[in-house]
Amino acid sequence: MHSTRIHKVIDQMISFYRRIGLWHGEDRPTVRQFGRKSFYSIYYVFFVFSLSIGAITSETVDESIFIAEVSIIATVLFTKVWMLLWKQKQIMGLLNRICVFSIRNDEEFAFFNAKVEKFIKFVIAFTCATIAGVSGCSVFPFLGNEKSLILDIAFPLDWKNSEIGFWMAYIFFVISLVATMPAMAFSILIWYLLLHCTTRYKVLGMEIVKMGRITGKAKMTEKKRQAIFYQDLLASIEAHLHLRGLIDELESFLSNLFLLQFATSGLCICGSIYCLAFDISDNFVERIVHVYTLFYNIAELFMITYFGNEILISSRRLSYSLFESEWIGQAHSTKKCIIIFGEYLKQSHKLLIGKLYPLTLETFTRILKSSYSLLNILTNFKE
């Protein structure tokens, strides 16, 4: 029997949240922590307003499309910031109940660790790309002959013609960029939870196949083997019901956020492709930013739909795993339980967002097709 725990990289991320005051260690935040969270939320709202107004008042259509895309991304990120700041108890509860569990056999434990380590490598690459994007936006004003921000944000002071106004706008913009980092890290927590959901289904399938199998050469009666199989069957049924309940709870917690991402991802992907296709950038750094926003929008949408699709496939395969088990030589009463459990397993676990949109790769392709349709409309409008 092996026990899993929250990965050390995720644990370090949580510890960092607590060190900077975004999360609290007690049941309730102190007055200082509450004030820090409130200030952080209000500050980011101002950043979203600044982008939105900048998109409206921009001088060119191309610039308006780019800033509008960024403002939509910032709106989604603000939702994640709000959930990260004010839903700490629910997030930690889901992490502890989904990511901490027991695995019976060595093979399943090795399989689980391999999946998690592969995901952590992707997380490190994603984090490096995010830091590179934030750094590029921060140093952009000092690359050309004239100082200018990479986005034409709205600001109370005339930052284009005033040195003091420029530095105040620059500090506001850079702090806002840094403030998006925890929101993007929250995406990693979501992916981590979804990864555990699909991996636990796969581990459960592997354990169902091995029900009643005894390691070693110990001799025992047929009746004893049947009793062990029946105990393993009951444990598998209980584990399946428990896991399905946890995933339903996670679906309920993230449903509104995923619905917002579905509604905005098509627009953001379309905006990124438009900026790259018509090369509205003036320099290499801006092109890198457009590439990163395209990568970020597709990655955000693909990861949640991919894991949702894996949950569907893994849960669907459980009925075949039950068929692969040694059920033939079991008692008549045990076979009845197997038949009932098998019929129940035929109901694959499909996550529905907004009770309408399945969290599958089919939805991902549909959103990409809608992005292509929007791009054709923008292209015709430009011509």
Side-chain angles (χ1 to χ4, degrees), residues 88-129:
Q88 174 189 342
K89 187 175 181 180
Q90 292 92 323
I91 295 171
M92 284 305 304
L94 289 169
L95 281 171
N96 289 325
R97 283 180 289 137
I98 293 177
C99 304
V100 180
F101 62 102
S102 298
I103 300 178
R104 301 180 202 170
N105 304 312
D106 296 339
E107 183 181 352
E108 287 81 356
F109 186 67
F111 169 80
F112 169 80
N113 286 333
K115 287 288 185 180
V116 173
E117 291 300 329
K118 187 181 295 185
F119 171 76
I120 293 299
K121 290 180 182 179
F122 170 79
V123 165
I124 294 173
F126 179 80
T127 304
C128 292

mmCIF file of all heavy atoms in Angstrom, residues 88-129:
data_model
loop_
_atom_site.group_PDB
_atom_site.id
_atom_site.type_symbol
_atom_site.label_atom_id
_atom_site.label_comp_id
_atom_site.label_asym_id
_atom_site.label_seq_id
_atom_site.Cartn_x
_atom_site.Cartn_y
_atom_site.Cartn_z
ATOM 1 N N GLN A 88 -9.815 29.999 -0.873
ATOM 2 C CA GLN A 88 -8.678 29.201 -0.409
ATOM 3 C C GLN A 88 -9.125 27.905 0.258
ATOM 4 O O GLN A 88 -8.554 26.841 0.012
ATOM 5 C CB GLN A 88 -7.836 30.014 0.574
ATOM 6 C CG GLN A 88 -6.721 29.217 1.229
ATOM 7 C CD GLN A 88 -6.041 29.979 2.347
ATOM 8 O OE1 GLN A 88 -6.156 31.196 2.439
ATOM 9 N NE2 GLN A 88 -5.321 29.269 3.206
ATOM 10 N N LYS A 89 -10.143 27.985 1.101
ATOM 11 C CA LYS A 89 -10.591 26.804 1.842
ATOM 12 C C LYS A 89 -11.079 25.714 0.894
ATOM 13 O O LYS A 89 -10.737 24.530 1.059
ATOM 14 C CB LYS A 89 -11.710 27.195 2.811
ATOM 15 C CG LYS A 89 -12.134 26.085 3.745
ATOM 16 C CD LYS A 89 -13.162 26.580 4.747
ATOM 17 C CE LYS A 89 -13.582 25.469 5.698
ATOM 18 N NZ LYS A 89 -14.597 25.950 6.691
ATOM 19 N N GLN A 90 -11.866 26.080 -0.122
ATOM 20 C CA GLN A 90 -12.362 25.094 -1.084
ATOM 21 C C GLN A 90 -11.227 24.507 -1.911
ATOM 22 O O GLN A 90 -11.209 23.294 -2.178
ATOM 23 C CB GLN A 90 -13.407 25.730 -2.001
ATOM 24 C CG GLN A 90 -14.705 26.101 -1.319
ATOM 25 C CD GLN A 90 -14.700 27.530 -0.811
ATOM 26 O OE1 GLN A 90 -13.674 28.035 -0.337
ATOM 27 N NE2 GLN A 90 -15.837 28.183 -0.924
ATOM 28 N N ILE A 91 -10.261 25.368 -2.323
ATOM 29 C CA ILE A 91 -9.142 24.881 -3.139
ATOM 30 C C ILE A 91 -8.297 23.886 -2.363
ATOM 31 O O ILE A 91 -7.951 22.804 -2.862
ATOM 32 C CB ILE A 91 -8.290 26.067 -3.629
ATOM 33 C CG1 ILE A 91 -9.099 26.960 -4.574
ATOM 34 C CG2 ILE A 91 -7.033 25.569 -4.338
ATOM 35 C CD1 ILE A 91 -8.416 28.262 -4.926
ATOM 36 N N MET A 92 -7.945 24.230 -1.115
ATOM 37 C CA MET A 92 -7.125 23.331 -0.310
ATOM 38 C C MET A 92 -7.886 22.050 0.022
ATOM 39 O O MET A 92 -7.299 20.963 0.068
ATOM 40 C CB MET A 92 -6.694 24.036 0.974
ATOM 41 C CG MET A 92 -5.576 25.047 0.786
ATOM 42 S SD MET A 92 -4.098 24.366 -0.019
ATOM 43 C CE MET A 92 -3.689 22.999 1.060
ATOM 44 N N GLY A 93 -9.197 22.167 0.229
ATOM 45 C CA GLY A 93 -9.996 20.972 0.488
ATOM 46 C C GLY A 93 -9.979 20.015 -0.693
ATOM 47 O O GLY A 93 -9.820 18.797 -0.528
ATOM 48 N N LEU A 94 -10.116 20.562 -1.910
ATOM 49 C CA LEU A 94 -10.075 19.718 -3.108
ATOM 50 C C LEU A 94 -8.688 19.116 -3.321
ATOM 51 O O LEU A 94 -8.557 17.945 -3.702
ATOM 52 C CB LEU A 94 -10.482 20.547 -4.329
ATOM 53 C CG LEU A 94 -11.965 20.935 -4.413
ATOM 54 C CD1 LEU A 94 -12.188 21.972 -5.497
ATOM 55 C CD2 LEU A 94 -12.825 19.699 -4.680
ATOM 56 N N LEU A 95 -7.649 19.897 -3.072
ATOM 57 C CA LEU A 95 -6.293 19.383 -3.220
ATOM 58 C C LEU A 95 -6.033 18.225 -2.267
ATOM 59 O O LEU A 95 -5.464 17.193 -2.659
ATOM 60 C CB LEU A 95 -5.271 20.498 -2.975
ATOM 61 C CG LEU A 95 -5.024 21.492 -4.126
ATOM 62 C CD1 LEU A 95 -4.167 22.654 -3.647
ATOM 63 C CD2 LEU A 95 -4.351 20.799 -5.301
ATOM 64 N N ASN A 96 -6.439 18.380 -1.025
ATOM 65 C CA ASN A 96 -6.169 17.333 -0.031
ATOM 66 C C ASN A 96 -6.993 16.075 -0.273
ATOM 67 O O ASN A 96 -6.529 14.962 -0.020
ATOM 68 C CB ASN A 96 -6.459 17.869 1.375
ATOM 69 C CG ASN A 96 -5.425 18.892 1.822
ATOM 70 O OD1 ASN A 96 -4.249 18.773 1.495
ATOM 71 N ND2 ASN A 96 -5.859 19.909 2.555
ATOM 72 N N ARG A 97 -8.221 16.230 -0.790
ATOM 73 C CA ARG A 97 -9.069 15.059 -0.975
ATOM 74 C C ARG A 97 -8.863 14.367 -2.320
ATOM 75 O O ARG A 97 -9.060 13.162 -2.427
ATOM 76 C CB ARG A 97 -10.540 15.454 -0.804
ATOM 77 C CG ARG A 97 -10.926 15.627 0.667
ATOM 78 C CD ARG A 97 -12.366 16.008 0.841
ATOM 79 N NE ARG A 97 -12.602 17.371 0.416
ATOM 80 C CZ ARG A 97 -13.642 17.770 -0.312
ATOM 81 N NH1 ARG A 97 -14.521 16.884 -0.726
ATOM 82 N NH2 ARG A 97 -13.801 19.016 -0.629
ATOM 83 N N ILE A 98 -8.454 15.141 -3.339
ATOM 84 C CA ILE A 98 -8.240 14.539 -4.660
ATOM 85 C C ILE A 98 -6.808 14.045 -4.832
ATOM 86 O O ILE A 98 -6.575 12.986 -5.423
ATOM 87 C CB ILE A 98 -8.612 15.546 -5.768
ATOM 88 C CG1 ILE A 98 -10.114 15.832 -5.753
ATOM 89 C CG2 ILE A 98 -8.195 15.033 -7.144
ATOM 90 C CD1 ILE A 98 -10.557 16.859 -6.769
ATOM 91 N N CYS A 99 -5.853 14.792 -4.319
ATOM 92 C CA CYS A 99 -4.444 14.493 -4.582
ATOM 93 C C CYS A 99 -3.798 13.604 -3.515
ATOM 94 O O CYS A 99 -2.673 13.143 -3.724
ATOM 95 C CB CYS A 99 -3.648 15.790 -4.704
ATOM 96 S SG CYS A 99 -4.289 16.908 -5.966
ATOM 97 N N VAL A 100 -4.455 13.392 -2.407
ATOM 98 C CA VAL A 100 -3.911 12.542 -1.342
ATOM 99 C C VAL A 100 -4.813 11.320 -1.215
ATOM 100 O O VAL A 100 -5.956 11.417 -0.775
ATOM 101 C CB VAL A 100 -3.831 13.297 0.002
ATOM 102 C CG1 VAL A 100 -3.259 12.389 1.087
ATOM 103 C CG2 VAL A 100 -2.985 14.558 -0.133
ATOM 104 N N PHE A 101 -4.283 10.154 -1.630
ATOM 105 C CA PHE A 101 -5.056 8.919 -1.581
ATOM 106 C C PHE A 101 -4.088 7.743 -1.543
ATOM 107 O O PHE A 101 -2.859 7.921 -1.598
ATOM 108 C CB PHE A 101 -5.999 8.803 -2.794
ATOM 109 C CG PHE A 101 -5.297 8.762 -4.123
ATOM 110 C CD1 PHE A 101 -5.131 7.565 -4.798
ATOM 111 C CD2 PHE A 101 -4.811 9.926 -4.706
ATOM 112 C CE1 PHE A 101 -4.485 7.516 -6.019
ATOM 113 C CE2 PHE A 101 -4.154 9.884 -5.926
ATOM 114 C CZ PHE A 101 -3.998 8.678 -6.586
ATOM 115 N N SER A 102 -4.610 6.540 -1.447
ATOM 116 C CA SER A 102 -3.793 5.333 -1.325
ATOM 117 C C SER A 102 -3.852 4.520 -2.611
ATOM 118 O O SER A 102 -4.892 4.447 -3.267
ATOM 119 C CB SER A 102 -4.277 4.473 -0.150
ATOM 120 O OG SER A 102 -4.151 5.185 1.071
ATOM 121 N N ILE A 103 -2.721 3.907 -2.963
ATOM 122 C CA ILE A 103 -2.605 3.020 -4.123
ATOM 123 C C ILE A 103 -2.093 1.674 -3.615
ATOM 124 O O ILE A 103 -1.108 1.608 -2.879
ATOM 125 C CB ILE A 103 -1.649 3.605 -5.179
ATOM 126 C CG1 ILE A 103 -2.165 4.958 -5.677
ATOM 127 C CG2 ILE A 103 -1.491 2.650 -6.358
ATOM 128 C CD1 ILE A 103 -1.265 5.639 -6.684
ATOM 129 N N ARG A 104 -2.742 0.609 -4.035
ATOM 130 C CA ARG A 104 -2.431 -0.717 -3.475
ATOM 131 C C ARG A 104 -1.118 -1.298 -3.967
ATOM 132 O O ARG A 104 -0.312 -1.787 -3.181
ATOM 133 C CB ARG A 104 -3.561 -1.698 -3.825
ATOM 134 C CG ARG A 104 -4.932 -1.302 -3.324
ATOM 135 C CD ARG A 104 -5.956 -2.370 -3.733
ATOM 136 N NE ARG A 104 -7.307 -1.817 -3.755
ATOM 137 C CZ ARG A 104 -8.341 -2.456 -4.260
ATOM 138 N NH1 ARG A 104 -8.185 -3.671 -4.770
ATOM 139 N NH2 ARG A 104 -9.542 -1.904 -4.243
ATOM 140 N N ASN A 105 -0.865 -1.254 -5.268
ATOM 141 C CA ASN A 105 0.247 -2.010 -5.850
ATOM 142 C C ASN A 105 1.377 -1.102 -6.318
ATOM 143 O O ASN A 105 1.183 0.090 -6.585
ATOM 144 C CB ASN A 105 -0.256 -2.858 -7.030
ATOM 145 C CG ASN A 105 -1.386 -3.788 -6.630
ATOM 146 O OD1 ASN A 105 -1.293 -4.485 -5.622
ATOM 147 N ND2 ASN A 105 -2.459 -3.794 -7.422
ATOM 148 N N ASP A 106 2.565 -1.694 -6.449
ATOM 149 C CA ASP A 106 3.750 -0.948 -6.875
ATOM 150 C C ASP A 106 3.625 -0.465 -8.316
ATOM 151 O O ASP A 106 4.047 0.636 -8.648
ATOM 152 C CB ASP A 106 4.998 -1.833 -6.742
ATOM 153 C CG ASP A 106 5.290 -2.212 -5.296
ATOM 154 O OD1 ASP A 106 4.798 -1.495 -4.391
ATOM 155 O OD2 ASP A 106 5.994 -3.209 -5.068
ATOM 156 N N GLU A 107 3.055 -1.307 -9.189
ATOM 157 C CA GLU A 107 2.951 -0.947 -10.601
ATOM 158 C C GLU A 107 2.084 0.290 -10.798
ATOM 159 O O GLU A 107 2.455 1.204 -11.547
ATOM 160 C CB GLU A 107 2.372 -2.124 -11.382
ATOM 161 C CG GLU A 107 2.296 -1.875 -12.885
ATOM 162 C CD GLU A 107 1.694 -3.051 -13.631
ATOM 163 O OE1 GLU A 107 1.471 -4.110 -12.999
ATOM 164 O OE2 GLU A 107 1.436 -2.916 -14.847
ATOM 165 N N GLU A 108 0.940 0.331 -10.120
ATOM 166 C CA GLU A 108 0.060 1.487 -10.230
ATOM 167 C C GLU A 108 0.709 2.739 -9.637
ATOM 168 O O GLU A 108 0.553 3.838 -10.172
ATOM 169 C CB GLU A 108 -1.275 1.218 -9.535
ATOM 170 C CG GLU A 108 -2.182 0.266 -10.279
ATOM 171 C CD GLU A 108 -1.820 -1.190 -10.044
ATOM 172 O OE1 GLU A 108 -0.807 -1.453 -9.359
ATOM 173 O OE2 GLU A 108 -2.542 -2.078 -10.542
ATOM 174 N N PHE A 109 1.456 2.563 -8.562
ATOM 175 C CA PHE A 109 2.123 3.698 -7.926
ATOM 176 C C PHE A 109 3.196 4.278 -8.848
ATOM 177 O O PHE A 109 3.335 5.503 -8.966
ATOM 178 C CB PHE A 109 2.736 3.267 -6.591
ATOM 179 C CG PHE A 109 3.317 4.385 -5.792
ATOM 180 C CD1 PHE A 109 2.503 5.378 -5.253
ATOM 181 C CD2 PHE A 109 4.681 4.458 -5.578
ATOM 182 C CE1 PHE A 109 3.039 6.422 -4.513
ATOM 183 C CE2 PHE A 109 5.221 5.498 -4.831
ATOM 184 C CZ PHE A 109 4.406 6.476 -4.299
ATOM 185 N N ALA A 110 3.952 3.414 -9.517
ATOM 186 C CA ALA A 110 4.971 3.877 -10.467
ATOM 187 C C ALA A 110 4.317 4.578 -11.652
ATOM 188 O O ALA A 110 4.826 5.605 -12.142
ATOM 189 C CB ALA A 110 5.812 2.690 -10.941
ATOM 190 N N PHE A 111 3.199 4.045 -12.125
ATOM 191 C CA PHE A 111 2.461 4.665 -13.230
ATOM 192 C C PHE A 111 1.989 6.065 -12.839
ATOM 193 O O PHE A 111 2.121 7.019 -13.612
ATOM 194 C CB PHE A 111 1.263 3.785 -13.598
ATOM 195 C CG PHE A 111 0.286 4.425 -14.536
ATOM 196 C CD1 PHE A 111 0.538 4.476 -15.893
ATOM 197 C CD2 PHE A 111 -0.895 4.990 -14.051
ATOM 198 C CE1 PHE A 111 -0.368 5.077 -16.762
ATOM 199 C CE2 PHE A 111 -1.792 5.594 -14.910
ATOM 200 C CZ PHE A 111 -1.529 5.635 -16.276
ATOM 201 N N PHE A 112 1.453 6.194 -11.620
ATOM 202 C CA PHE A 112 0.966 7.479 -11.142
ATOM 203 C C PHE A 112 2.112 8.498 -11.052
ATOM 204 O O PHE A 112 1.977 9.640 -11.506
ATOM 205 C CB PHE A 112 0.313 7.299 -9.771
ATOM 206 C CG PHE A 112 -0.002 8.588 -9.060
ATOM 207 C CD1 PHE A 112 -1.128 9.317 -9.388
ATOM 208 C CD2 PHE A 112 0.840 9.075 -8.080
ATOM 209 C CE1 PHE A 112 -1.415 10.509 -8.747
ATOM 210 C CE2 PHE A 112 0.566 10.266 -7.428
ATOM 211 C CZ PHE A 112 -0.562 10.976 -7.760
ATOM 212 N N ASN A 113 3.250 8.110 -10.486
ATOM 213 C CA ASN A 113 4.385 9.017 -10.337
ATOM 214 C C ASN A 113 4.921 9.469 -11.685
ATOM 215 O O ASN A 113 5.299 10.640 -11.858
ATOM 216 C CB ASN A 113 5.500 8.348 -9.531
ATOM 217 C CG ASN A 113 5.170 8.254 -8.053
ATOM 218 O OD1 ASN A 113 4.406 9.063 -7.523
ATOM 219 N ND2 ASN A 113 5.733 7.267 -7.372
ATOM 220 N N ALA A 114 4.947 8.558 -12.668
ATOM 221 C CA ALA A 114 5.434 8.916 -13.997
ATOM 222 C C ALA A 114 4.539 9.974 -14.645
ATOM 223 O O ALA A 114 5.033 10.923 -15.267
ATOM 224 C CB ALA A 114 5.514 7.668 -14.872
ATOM 225 N N LYS A 115 3.230 9.821 -14.491
ATOM 226 C CA LYS A 115 2.298 10.800 -15.044
ATOM 227 C C LYS A 115 2.470 12.173 -14.402
ATOM 228 O O LYS A 115 2.481 13.202 -15.091
ATOM 229 C CB LYS A 115 0.860 10.311 -14.844
ATOM 230 C CG LYS A 115 0.449 9.160 -15.746
ATOM 231 C CD LYS A 115 0.267 9.634 -17.177
ATOM 232 C CE LYS A 115 -0.259 8.517 -18.057
ATOM 233 N NZ LYS A 115 -0.445 8.956 -19.454
ATOM 234 N N VAL A 116 2.615 12.197 -13.085
ATOM 235 C CA VAL A 116 2.746 13.466 -12.371
ATOM 236 C C VAL A 116 4.063 14.154 -12.731
ATOM 237 O O VAL A 116 4.094 15.371 -12.967
ATOM 238 C CB VAL A 116 2.641 13.236 -10.850
ATOM 239 C CG1 VAL A 116 2.956 14.523 -10.094
ATOM 240 C CG2 VAL A 116 1.246 12.745 -10.489
ATOM 241 N N GLU A 117 5.156 13.402 -12.796
ATOM 242 C CA GLU A 117 6.451 13.999 -13.111
ATOM 243 C C GLU A 117 6.472 14.566 -14.523
ATOM 244 O O GLU A 117 7.070 15.617 -14.768
ATOM 245 C CB GLU A 117 7.560 12.963 -12.942
ATOM 246 C CG GLU A 117 7.822 12.549 -11.500
ATOM 247 C CD GLU A 117 8.239 13.717 -10.615
ATOM 248 O OE1 GLU A 117 8.874 14.659 -11.141
ATOM 249 O OE2 GLU A 117 7.933 13.678 -9.408
ATOM 250 N N LYS A 118 5.826 13.894 -15.454
ATOM 251 C CA LYS A 118 5.738 14.409 -16.817
ATOM 252 C C LYS A 118 4.956 15.727 -16.838
ATOM 253 O O LYS A 118 5.322 16.665 -17.556
ATOM 254 C CB LYS A 118 5.071 13.371 -17.722
ATOM 255 C CG LYS A 118 5.067 13.737 -19.199
ATOM 256 C CD LYS A 118 4.376 12.671 -20.031
ATOM 257 C CE LYS A 118 5.142 11.362 -19.980
ATOM 258 N NZ LYS A 118 4.535 10.350 -20.893
ATOM 259 N N PHE A 119 3.899 15.793 -16.048
ATOM 260 C CA PHE A 119 3.120 17.026 -15.974
ATOM 261 C C PHE A 119 3.943 18.154 -15.359
ATOM 262 O O PHE A 119 3.862 19.309 -15.806
ATOM 263 C CB PHE A 119 1.858 16.777 -15.144
ATOM 264 C CG PHE A 119 1.081 18.015 -14.810
ATOM 265 C CD1 PHE A 119 0.285 18.634 -15.756
ATOM 266 C CD2 PHE A 119 1.159 18.580 -13.549
ATOM 267 C CE1 PHE A 119 -0.417 19.781 -15.458
ATOM 268 C CE2 PHE A 119 0.463 19.729 -13.238
ATOM 269 C CZ PHE A 119 -0.342 20.328 -14.195
ATOM 270 N N ILE A 120 4.730 17.855 -14.339
ATOM 271 C CA ILE A 120 5.541 18.882 -13.680
ATOM 272 C C ILE A 120 6.559 19.469 -14.653
ATOM 273 O O ILE A 120 6.846 20.678 -14.618
ATOM 274 C CB ILE A 120 6.236 18.296 -12.438
ATOM 275 C CG1 ILE A 120 5.194 17.943 -11.363
ATOM 276 C CG2 ILE A 120 7.248 19.282 -11.868
ATOM 277 C CD1 ILE A 120 4.380 19.113 -10.861
ATOM 278 N N LYS A 121 7.103 18.655 -15.546
ATOM 279 C CA LYS A 121 8.028 19.172 -16.562
ATOM 280 C C LYS A 121 7.321 20.183 -17.455
ATOM 281 O O LYS A 121 7.899 21.220 -17.812
ATOM 282 C CB LYS A 121 8.586 18.015 -17.388
ATOM 283 C CG LYS A 121 9.540 17.110 -16.624
ATOM 284 C CD LYS A 121 10.049 15.975 -17.502
ATOM 285 C CE LYS A 121 10.972 15.047 -16.717
ATOM 286 N NZ LYS A 121 11.450 13.909 -17.557
ATOM 287 N N PHE A 122 6.089 19.870 -17.838
ATOM 288 C CA PHE A 122 5.321 20.824 -18.644
ATOM 289 C C PHE A 122 5.064 22.105 -17.853
ATOM 290 O O PHE A 122 5.122 23.208 -18.407
ATOM 291 C CB PHE A 122 4.001 20.201 -19.079
ATOM 292 C CG PHE A 122 3.046 21.175 -19.714
ATOM 293 C CD1 PHE A 122 3.209 21.567 -21.032
ATOM 294 C CD2 PHE A 122 2.000 21.722 -18.980
ATOM 295 C CE1 PHE A 122 2.347 22.474 -21.622
ATOM 296 C CE2 PHE A 122 1.134 22.632 -19.561
ATOM 297 C CZ PHE A 122 1.309 23.010 -20.888
ATOM 298 N N VAL A 123 4.760 21.983 -16.570
ATOM 299 C CA VAL A 123 4.508 23.149 -15.720
ATOM 300 C C VAL A 123 5.731 24.058 -15.675
ATOM 301 O O VAL A 123 5.615 25.287 -15.767
ATOM 302 C CB VAL A 123 4.116 22.689 -14.303
ATOM 303 C CG1 VAL A 123 4.200 23.851 -13.312
ATOM 304 C CG2 VAL A 123 2.718 22.110 -14.305
ATOM 305 N N ILE A 124 6.906 23.466 -15.556
ATOM 306 C CA ILE A 124 8.140 24.265 -15.514
ATOM 307 C C ILE A 124 8.336 25.006 -16.827
ATOM 308 O O ILE A 124 8.681 26.193 -16.844
ATOM 309 C CB ILE A 124 9.342 23.350 -15.202
ATOM 310 C CG1 ILE A 124 9.213 22.785 -13.786
ATOM 311 C CG2 ILE A 124 10.654 24.114 -15.349
ATOM 312 C CD1 ILE A 124 10.258 21.748 -13.429
ATOM 313 N N ALA A 125 8.091 24.329 -17.959
ATOM 314 C CA ALA A 125 8.216 24.981 -19.265
ATOM 315 C C ALA A 125 7.200 26.109 -19.415
ATOM 316 O O ALA A 125 7.524 27.194 -19.926
ATOM 317 C CB ALA A 125 8.043 23.951 -20.380
ATOM 318 N N PHE A 126 5.973 25.871 -18.971
ATOM 319 C CA PHE A 126 4.927 26.894 -19.040
ATOM 320 C C PHE A 126 5.291 28.095 -18.177
ATOM 321 O O PHE A 126 5.099 29.255 -18.575
ATOM 322 C CB PHE A 126 3.598 26.294 -18.581
ATOM 323 C CG PHE A 126 2.448 27.250 -18.579
ATOM 324 C CD1 PHE A 126 1.771 27.552 -19.752
ATOM 325 C CD2 PHE A 126 2.034 27.875 -17.404
ATOM 326 C CE1 PHE A 126 0.713 28.448 -19.756
ATOM 327 C CE2 PHE A 126 0.979 28.761 -17.397
ATOM 328 C CZ PHE A 126 0.310 29.048 -18.576
ATOM 329 N N THR A 127 5.830 27.849 -16.994
ATOM 330 C CA THR A 127 6.230 28.937 -16.090
ATOM 331 C C THR A 127 7.361 29.761 -16.691
ATOM 332 O O THR A 127 7.345 31.000 -16.620
ATOM 333 C CB THR A 127 6.651 28.361 -14.731
ATOM 334 O OG1 THR A 127 5.583 27.578 -14.193
ATOM 335 C CG2 THR A 127 7.006 29.480 -13.762
ATOM 336 N N CYS A 128 8.335 29.092 -17.292
ATOM 337 C CA CYS A 128 9.446 29.811 -17.921
ATOM 338 C C CYS A 128 8.956 30.690 -19.065
ATOM 339 O O CYS A 128 9.401 31.832 -19.232
ATOM 340 C CB CYS A 128 10.492 28.821 -18.417
ATOM 341 S SG CYS A 128 11.366 27.941 -17.101
ATOM 342 N N ALA A 129 8.023 30.160 -19.869
ATOM 343 C CA ALA A 129 7.464 30.941 -20.969
ATOM 344 C C ALA A 129 6.699 32.155 -20.447
ATOM 345 O O ALA A 129 6.773 33.250 -21.022
ATOM 346 C CB ALA A 129 6.552 30.072 -21.825
#
